[in-house]
């Protein structure tokens, strides 16, 4: 039986394998930080393989900053972390398909790589806008001033300022940390996007250019669908900085898709009241007016006779028609032209009579769908003392979800904040009977002890987000009493690996350590912790149903009708092994300590070969 890794996928090594399949001569070996050999790429040779001539030198069209390479390396590094279930903070744990995950989104995205690879239809993020405040994301690759100055060449070898260097270190550092933070996360998020998936990124003027450049690089410039301008403000800001800058009323939403040409759902229009018709059955009259009133003749093509089959009119001397001959001919052929009192009249029908019951996906969201001010009031009504100064309107996110998803799709927001996206998904599901699922990811940033949110009992942002989802679900039910939608969520929390760290030098072993290694699972971990750890490693969704039952004194967990069956008890008897094998699950997992000896472990393999030859069996 194979041993489970209990760590995230090594994306860097997977990328090396893909390149090796195409260019095996470019694969070499290198030693990692621990001195162990691993596969690596000879980039100079790879560059030669991809070009008929290599241009030496540093000049190239690229977008870069100090720390970019480190952020790429960090995104590809595996981690020894897990997601621990928290049933007591969840809602409808056994039936819901929604997830609320607490933890650093960089590490959470790494853990989701296998379970949700290519399964997310829509990603919406509202990242920090880099307004000058410190980041709360503790990325290990974000550099201090000394490392940054060394990378930029700000100082020479003697420690003196290098005045030959262009640009200022302060301006560069201001943007570099932010770029590194967002780049690594978008790299990982791209892997989760489905083939027809869509990414929406809210941003303002502080980092719009850099965000666009990063997204172009990660998703591909040809996959840029457009930019939505959202009228976020209706009030001016009379601050000291407002006197020397233009005051924008809009924020932007960048739109990217895995498909270069992506069709979006059109907005369905409601029924309109019909206006009264006149005695000729005309809704509105539009005379074909003449122009050039100063007496100067216009284009000859605009000067012609118009007839409705009975009467004929011509433009006055020195003037021309407003419409061309082709347009007039179309109206006449449709029966919408007639002449009255020496004037040519066109019958203009309203939109609904032309069978236009929809509107396209416009690149502008007006204040009617909500502003930053109205969104703040909206949240305060639902959740007083929430502590959020800036939030997005529910209707705005609901509109994005409506345009981009089908009724059973998954929506991911890994800068969840107050969980507006979860609110919007539930709202739309209640309206159209959908079963869209949300995955919210949020760093449990602590609230200020002096804030209203802290005084109201919210110790971190995640507590606010979860309570917002609970109250939003209740309000939606009140407003839509007949609606049926998933109003629950499973809470998962990022934590260290379920497994003890057993890598010690030979001289470090003690009797206590040897005893600990006999059971390599941490003592505070439950069966549910271990089950979800196995789901992550085996790439199974974290939202499907499972059952637990006792068989011959052992607790056995069956996930999604046999996608996986697990038993984490000590000394599992052969009768339990045979019962599990007879059910022929796709996967089976046991603890290493479930078997007293190597012969018993070998016997387990033989039982599965006989009763369930297609089942993959592993131990932790």
């Amino acid at each position: 039986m194979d041993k489970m890794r209990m760590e995230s996928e090594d994306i860097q090594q997977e990328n090396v394998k893909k390149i090796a399949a195409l260019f095996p001569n470019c694969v070499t070996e290198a030693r990692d930080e621990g001195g162990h050999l691993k596969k690596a790429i000879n980039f100079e040779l790879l560059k030669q393989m991809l070009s008929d001539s290599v241009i030496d030198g540093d000049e190239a069209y690229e977008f870069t900053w100090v720390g970019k390479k480190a952020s790429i390396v960090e995104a590809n590094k595996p981690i020894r972390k897990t997601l621990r279930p928290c049933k007591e903070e969840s809602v409808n744990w056994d039936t819901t398909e929604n997830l609320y995950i607490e933890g650093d989104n960089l590490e959470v995205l790494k853990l989701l790589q296998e379970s949700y690879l290519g399964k997310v239809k829509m990603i919406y993020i509202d990242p920090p806008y880099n307004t000058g405040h410190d980041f709360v994301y503790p990325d290990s690759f974000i550099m201090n001033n000394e490392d940054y100055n060394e990378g930029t060449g700000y100082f020479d070898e003697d420690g003196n300022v290098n005045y030959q260097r262009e640009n200022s270190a302060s301006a560069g550092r201001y943007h570099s940390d932010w770029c590194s933070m967002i780049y690594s996360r978008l790299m990982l998020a791209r892997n989760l996007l489905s083939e027809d998936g869509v990414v929406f990124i809210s941003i303002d003027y502080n980092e719009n250019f850099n965000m666009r450049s990063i997204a172009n690089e990660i998703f591909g410039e040809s996959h840029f669908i457009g930019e939505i301008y959202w009228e976020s403000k209706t009030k001016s800001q009379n601050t000291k900085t407002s006197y020397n800058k233009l005051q924008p009323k809009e924020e932007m939403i960048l739109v990217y898709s895995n498909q270069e040409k992506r069709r979006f759902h059109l907005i369905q229009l409601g029924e309109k009241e019909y206006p009264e018709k006149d005695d000729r059955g005309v809704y509105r009259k539009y005379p074909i007016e003449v122009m050039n009133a100063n007496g100067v003749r216009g284009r000859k093509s605009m000067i012609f006779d118009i007839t409705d089959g009975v009467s004929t009119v011509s433009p006055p001397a020195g003037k021309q028609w407003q419409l061309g001959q082709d347009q007039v001919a179309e109206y006449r052929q449709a029966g919408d032209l007639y002449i009255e009192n020496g004037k040519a009249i066109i019958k203009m029908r309203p939109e609904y009579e032309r069978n236009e019951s929809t509107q396209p996906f416009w690149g502008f969201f007006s204040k009617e769908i909500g502003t930053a001010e109205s969104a703040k009031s909206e949240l305060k009504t639902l959740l007083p003392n929430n502590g959020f100064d800036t939030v997005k309107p529910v209707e705005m996110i609901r509109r994005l979800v409506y345009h981009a998803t089908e009724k059973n799709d998954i929506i991911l927001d890994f800068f969840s904040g107050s969980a507006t996206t979860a609110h919007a998904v539930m709202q739309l599901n209640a309206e159209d009977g959908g079963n869209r699922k949300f995955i919210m990811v949020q760093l449990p940033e602590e609230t200020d002890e002096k804030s209203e949110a802290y005084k109201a009992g919210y110790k971190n942002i995640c507590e606010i987000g979860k309570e917002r989802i609970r109250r939003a679900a209740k309000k939606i039910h009140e407003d839509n009493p007949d609606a049926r939608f998933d109003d629950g969520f499973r809470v998962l929390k990022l934590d260290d690996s379920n497994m003890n760290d057993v890598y010690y030098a030979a001289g470090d072993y003690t009797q206590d350590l040897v005893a600990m290694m006999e059971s390599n699972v941490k003592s505070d971990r439950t069966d549910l912790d271990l089950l979800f750890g196995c789901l992550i490693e085996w790439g199974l969704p974290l939202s499907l149903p499972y059952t637990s039952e006792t068989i011959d004194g052992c607790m056995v967990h069956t996930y999604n009708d046999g996608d996986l069956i697990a038993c984490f008890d000590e000394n599992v008897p052969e009768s339990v092994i045979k019962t599990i094998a007879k059910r022929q699950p796709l996967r089976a997992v046991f603890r290493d300590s479930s078997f007293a000896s190597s012969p018993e472990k070998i016997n387990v393999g033989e039982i599965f070969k006989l009763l369930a030859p297609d089942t993959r069996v592993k131990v932790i």
Side-chain angles (χ1 to χ4, degrees):
M1 287 181 287
D2 295 330
K3 193 90 169 174
M4 300 193 83
R5 298 187 321 271
M6 304 311 289
E7 64 179 26
S8 67
E9 188 75 15
D10 190 336
I11 299 176
Q12 185 270 336
Q13 283 295 295
E14 290 300 314
N15 290 337
V16 169
K17 290 179 183 178
K18 294 174 184 177
I19 294 176
L22 296 173
F23 307 104
N25 60 323
C26 296
V27 179
T28 182
E29 289 184 337
R31 293 192 181 275
D32 60 19
E33 296 175 355
H36 304 289
L37 286 175
K38 67 175 184 178
K39 292 185 181 296
I41 299 297
N42 183 330
F43 290 103
E44 290 301 320
L45 184 56
L46 179 61
K47 183 168 64 172
Q48 184 64 65
M49 290 291 294
L50 296 175
S51 176
D52 57 359
S53 62
V54 176
I55 302 175
D56 295 326
D58 297 329
E59 290 186 345
Y61 178 75
E62 60 180 343
F63 175 64
T64 190
W65 62 91
V66 176
K68 180 179 182 179
K69 292 180 180 178
S71 69
I72 295 173
V73 170
E74 181 63 29
N76 291 328
K77 278 185 179 179
I79 56 171
R80 289 181 58 80
K81 295 288 184 77
T82 190
L83 297 176
R84 299 182 66 184
C86 185
K87 293 183 70 172
E88 60 272 17
E89 296 181 22
S90 304
V91 176
N92 301 334
W93 171 271
D94 291 327
T95 58
T96 184
E97 295 184 81
N98 299 319
L99 299 177
Y100 188 97
I101 305 177
E102 298 185 24
D104 183 346
N105 52 16
L106 179 66
E107 295 182 324
V108 172
L109 287 170
K110 289 183 179 184
L111 294 176
L112 298 181
Q113 289 296 294
E114 292 297 307
S115 296
Y116 292 93
L117 180 68
K119 295 179 180 178
V120 175
K121 186 64 165 291
M122 170 181 156
I123 296 174
Y124 171 78
I125 58 171
D126 183 15
Y129 281 0
N130 200 14
T131 57
H133 302 291
D134 292 336
F135 292 122
V136 296
Y137 292 90
D139 296 347
S140 61
F141 55 88
I142 298 296
M143 296 174 292
N144 57 32
N145 287 327
E146 182 178 350
D147 293 334
Y148 179 81
N149 290 332
E150 181 180 347
T152 58
Y154 190 72
F155 295 102
D156 60 22
E157 295 178 357
D158 299 324
N160 299 315
V161 176
N162 179 8
Y163 291 104
Q164 301 298 319
R165 181 186 169 280
E166 295 182 358
N167 207 349
S168 69
S170 59
R173 173 72 193 280
Y174 176 79
H175 293 287
S176 290
D177 284 355
W178 187 90
C179 289
S180 293
M181 181 274 296
I182 201 67
Y183 193 92
S184 56
R185 287 160 174 81
L186 286 181
M187 279 184 61
L188 294 169
R190 179 193 58 189
N191 299 332
L192 306 181
L193 205 62
S194 64
E195 290 183 359
D196 58 346
V198 184
V199 179
F200 297 101
I201 306 172
S202 281
I203 200 68
D204 71 353
Y205 290 91
N206 288 290
E207 293 291 356
N208 182 291
F209 175 82
N210 288 334
M211 177 62 89
R212 176 86 176 267
S213 299
I214 289 172
N216 281 348
E217 187 170 313
I218 290 176
F219 299 106
E221 189 171 0
S222 62
H223 292 254
F224 176 63
I225 302 299
E227 191 169 58
I228 300 171
Y229 286 84
W230 167 48
E231 192 176 6
S232 61
K233 298 182 180 70
T234 57
K235 301 176 182 178
S236 62
Q237 293 179 313
N238 293 319
T239 62
K240 291 181 179 179
T241 58
S242 68
Y243 298 130
N244 57 3
K245 287 185 178 181
L246 293 174
Q247 292 302 294
K249 291 182 63 178
E250 297 89 11
E251 294 180 16
M252 288 68 70
I253 304 173
L254 304 181
V255 186
Y256 287 82
S257 174
N258 265 350
Q259 293 179 334
E260 293 188 10
K261 295 182 179 180
R262 175 65 158 79
R263 294 182 64 87
F264 292 93
H265 296 155
L266 306 180
I267 290 289
Q268 298 292 326
L269 300 177
E271 295 184 0
K272 299 180 180 179
E273 293 185 4
Y274 285 68
E276 293 183 2
K277 300 179 182 180
D278 64 11
D279 55 357
R280 298 174 61 100
V282 178
Y283 294 106
R284 280 188 293 159
K285 296 180 180 179
Y286 176 74
I288 303 181
E289 299 290 354
V290 293
M291 51 193 308
N292 286 342
N294 57 3
V296 179
R297 277 194 175 273
R299 290 177 293 158
K300 292 182 178 180
S301 62
M302 303 295 286
I303 302 172
F304 53 91
D305 293 338
I306 292 179
T307 179
D308 62 356
V310 178
S311 304
T312 300
V313 292
S314 301
K319 298 182 179 180
Q320 67 180 41
W321 295 119
Q322 185 176 340
L323 301 180
Q325 294 187 58
D326 292 340
Q327 291 173 287
V328 171
E330 289 179 5
Y331 282 117
R332 179 183 175 186
Q333 186 175 1
D336 292 338
L337 181 145
Y338 64 95
I339 295 174
E340 184 178 84
N341 299 325
K343 291 184 178 180
I345 306 295
I346 299 295
K347 291 191 288 187
M348 299 295 291
R349 292 181 169 85
E351 288 182 355
Y352 55 76
E353 225 190 21
R354 296 201 300 268
N355 297 320
E356 293 181 7
S357 59
T358 59
Q359 285 182 354
F361 187 12
W362 296 109
F364 178 75
F365 284 171
S366 69
K367 60 186 178 183
E368 276 68 30
I369 68 168
T371 64
E373 295 99 337
S374 67
K376 187 175 180 180
S377 299
E378 179 180 58
L379 179 58
K380 190 171 184 178
T381 301
L382 186 68
L383 192 66
N385 304 320
N386 58 78
F388 278 88
D389 291 326
T390 56
V391 290
K392 296 295 185 289
V394 172
E395 175 58 24
M396 187 186 82
I397 309 300
R398 192 203 69 86
R399 183 73 62 89
L400 297 177
V401 176
Y402 175 88
H403 281 300
T405 69
E406 306 295 338
K407 291 185 177 181
N408 291 299
D409 288 332
I410 298 174
I411 295 94
L412 168 66
D413 183 344
F414 53 90
F415 288 97
S416 174
S418 67
T420 306
T421 301
H423 188 162
V425 170
M426 291 190 297
Q427 180 70 51
L428 182 57
N429 282 341
E431 293 172 5
D432 68 4
N435 186 37
R436 300 170 185 84
K437 280 76 70 174
F438 63 73
I439 302 176
M440 300 293 104
V441 183
Q442 177 58 43
L443 184 74
E445 179 188 354
E446 295 182 354
T447 54
D448 190 330
E449 293 185 4
K450 298 179 181 179
S451 68
E452 292 183 356
Y454 185 89
K455 295 175 182 177
Y458 305 114
K459 300 301 185 289
N460 61 56
I461 290 179
C462 292
E463 294 181 5
I464 300 171
K466 288 177 290 188
E467 183 62 20
R468 194 256 179 89
I469 299 174
R470 297 185 190 102
R471 296 193 184 191
K474 182 179 179 181
K475 181 67 165 59
I476 294 170
H477 277 300
E478 291 173 354
D479 295 340
N480 304 270
D482 297 327
R484 298 291 181 267
F485 63 94
D486 187 348
D487 57 3
F489 54 93
R490 284 182 177 176
V491 175
L492 304 171
K493 297 187 178 184
L494 182 72
D495 205 337
D496 292 330
S497 171
N498 292 318
M499 317 307 291
N500 286 308
D501 190 352
V502 296
Y503 301 103
Y504 294 91
D508 294 336
Y509 283 99
T510 64
Q511 191 63 36
D512 290 339
L513 283 176
V514 173
M516 180 188 71
M517 289 176 61
E518 292 179 359
S519 177
N520 57 344
V521 176
K522 291 178 179 176
S523 59
D524 65 336
R525 302 306 161 97
T526 66
D527 274 16
L528 203 56
D529 291 329
L530 300 180
L531 176 63
F532 273 75
C534 293
L535 298 180
I536 292 170
E537 176 158 338
W538 240 321
L540 295 172
L542 307 178
S543 58
L544 299 180
Y546 65 92
T547 58
S548 301
E549 60 182 315
T550 301
I551 301 176
D552 292 348
C554 293
M555 184 60 67
V556 176
H557 311 277
T558 302
Y559 192 79
N560 197 36
D561 294 329
D563 278 355
L564 181 148
I565 296 182
C567 180
F568 303 114
D569 284 10
E570 304 280 350
N571 302 315
V572 178
E574 185 175 301
S575 60
V576 175
I577 303 297
K578 288 184 177 179
T579 300
I580 293 174
K582 288 178 181 179
R583 295 180 181 181
Q584 298 185 331
L586 296 177
R587 308 164 184 85
V589 182
F590 304 92
R591 283 175 68 159
D592 207 9
S593 58
S594 295
F595 316 106
S597 62
S598 294
E600 287 189 11
K601 191 182 300 183
I602 294 173
N603 186 49
V604 172
E606 294 302 317
I607 291 174
F608 273 90
K609 284 182 182 179
L610 178 64
L611 300 177
D614 295 327
T615 298
R616 297 174 59 191
V617 185
K618 287 188 177 184
V619 295
I620 61 173

